[in-house]
Amino acid sequence: MKLTHDTGRAAQLWVSGVLGRLPPVIDHAILAAEPDGDGWIIVMREVSDALLPRSRVLSRAENYQIFKAAAAMYETFRGEHIEGLCTLTDHYALLSPATANRQRSSSPLMQFVGRGWEQFADVVPDDVAAPVFAILDRPGLLARQLEGCETTLIHGDLWLANLRLTSDRVVMLDWGLAAAAPPAVDFAAYLAQSGSRIAATQEQLLDDFRTVRGERHDERALRLALIGGLVEMGWLKATEVEDAPNEAGRAQAAADLDDWWVRHVREALETWSPV
């Protein structure tokens, strides 16, 4: 919260009525929010019965349900200005090497992130690693490019740990990183974190995202967001390679990073690059 200048973003989205305007297919599970000193108390409904266990692999159809729900949100808030959202500069700086170095002593997560970026530098070719590190040093470079595209309300932390599925709704939890951005920013981070838990190829997921966006799809924003996906989660993709429990897992993680992410980001960098 401190790192993204959050003074109670999720609670304020509830109090302001923004979450109340989400399309019916999305359930935020919040019942009330009240100020409590310099913080907030958020009261939520119990939704653990719809929990997705870490071992659960979603079908392509189940994942499409998530994409459709998110697309309905993007359309509802398209072009709208909402106060207090996370900036894309803060979004991309949150898990940067500089942040990890500052927070290492107090955060086990940041120790993990810092080590991941060291591994990233070792396993990713320099023509891709150098632009990624340039953006991590100055995240506003990429943020400004994305802010020049059509923006809407995005969840900002869309991955399976923050999602639940019911028969007709998608539960979306943890709105603390909600931002104004092109929808592709949500998609890229989701793909980087949760793509391996969906019974579909990444190319199929790309096709599904394009399909669900329809005429609203912006291919330039998608290319920029895929660069952002590696800026945001490159440390994680590198640790998946280095820390795989066996040779088969290492080969699969390396193929994901080298054959998909590096290839797609390299292509995107032909359109725009910070260096």
Side-chain angles (χ1 to χ4, degrees):
M1 292 177 70
K2 290 179 181 178
L3 293 171
T4 64
H5 307 96
D6 180 4
T7 59
R9 189 170 292 126
Q12 290 158 2
L13 287 172
W14 165 262
V15 171
S16 67
V18 170
L19 293 183
R21 293 174 51 212
L22 288 171
V25 71
I26 295 177
D27 179 3
H28 53 71
I30 295 177
L31 298 174
E34 295 290 341
D36 180 40
D38 59 355
W40 290 84
I41 294 173
I42 297 179
V43 181
M44 300 180 66
R45 202 178 70 259
E46 174 61 64
V47 292
S48 60
D49 57 336
L51 179 69
L52 297 169
R54 290 184 63 86
S55 60
R56 168 80 181 279
V57 175
L58 268 64
S59 69
R60 187 177 178 184
E62 288 174 319
N63 187 73
Y64 198 76
Q65 179 186 351
I66 294 171
F67 281 5
K68 283 184 66 177
M73 174 179 68
Y74 304 144
E75 185 62 23
T76 297
F77 295 97
R78 182 168 60 90
E80 185 172 332
H81 174 75
I82 298 171
E83 293 290 340
L85 298 180
C86 180
T87 69
L88 284 181
T89 297
D90 283 346
H91 180 91
Y92 287 123
L94 179 59
L95 297 175
S96 69
T99 302
N101 287 334
R102 289 195 304 270
Q103 302 291 325
R104 273 182 190 263
S105 61
S106 60
S107 170
L109 170 62
M110 289 301 178
Q111 295 172 19
F112 188 56
V113 171
R115 183 169 65 88
W117 284 122
E118 293 167 3
Q119 294 169 333
F120 183 88
D122 291 336
V123 300
V124 172
D126 189 62
D127 67 314
V128 171
V132 167
F133 282 120
I135 295 168
L136 286 164
D137 286 339
R138 298 176 61 194
L141 294 173
L142 179 59
R144 285 191 290 274
Q145 294 294 317
L146 285 161
E147 288 162 354
C149 303
E150 183 176 75
T151 64
T152 185
L153 174 69
I154 68 166
H155 180 275
D157 198 12
L158 198 69
W159 65 303
L160 292 183
N162 287 333
L163 297 172
R164 310 286 187 268
L165 289 180
T166 67
S167 60
D168 59 351
R169 304 185 80 189
V170 175
V171 183
M172 294 187 183
L173 307 177
D174 195 357
W175 292 82
L177 290 177
V185 172
D186 259 353
F187 169 74
Y190 180 80
L191 188 65
Q193 295 180 88
S194 300
S196 62
R197 290 179 57 191
I198 302 162
T201 67
Q202 286 156 309
E203 292 301 327
Q204 288 173 326
L205 296 177
L206 267 179
D207 289 343
D208 288 347
F209 176 73
R210 291 185 177 110
T211 298
V212 80
R213 292 289 296 140
E215 64 180 16
R216 300 293 186 201
H217 175 65
D218 183 340
E219 189 65 22
R220 180 174 185 272
L222 175 60
R223 287 174 175 265
L224 290 168
L226 288 174
I227 298 172
L230 211 51
V231 169
E232 191 174 353
M233 289 294 156
W235 63 272
L236 178 63
K237 308 311 291 182
T239 58
E240 288 174 348
V241 175
E242 295 296 306
D243 298 348
N246 52 51
E247 191 59 35
R250 181 182 174 88
Q252 183 176 357
D256 178 43
L257 177 57
D258 297 334
D259 298 341
W260 202 90
W261 279 98
V262 168
R263 176 168 59 87
H264 278 272
V265 170
R266 183 178 281 133
E267 291 173 358
L269 289 167
E270 295 176 0
T271 303
W272 175 84
S273 175
V275 296

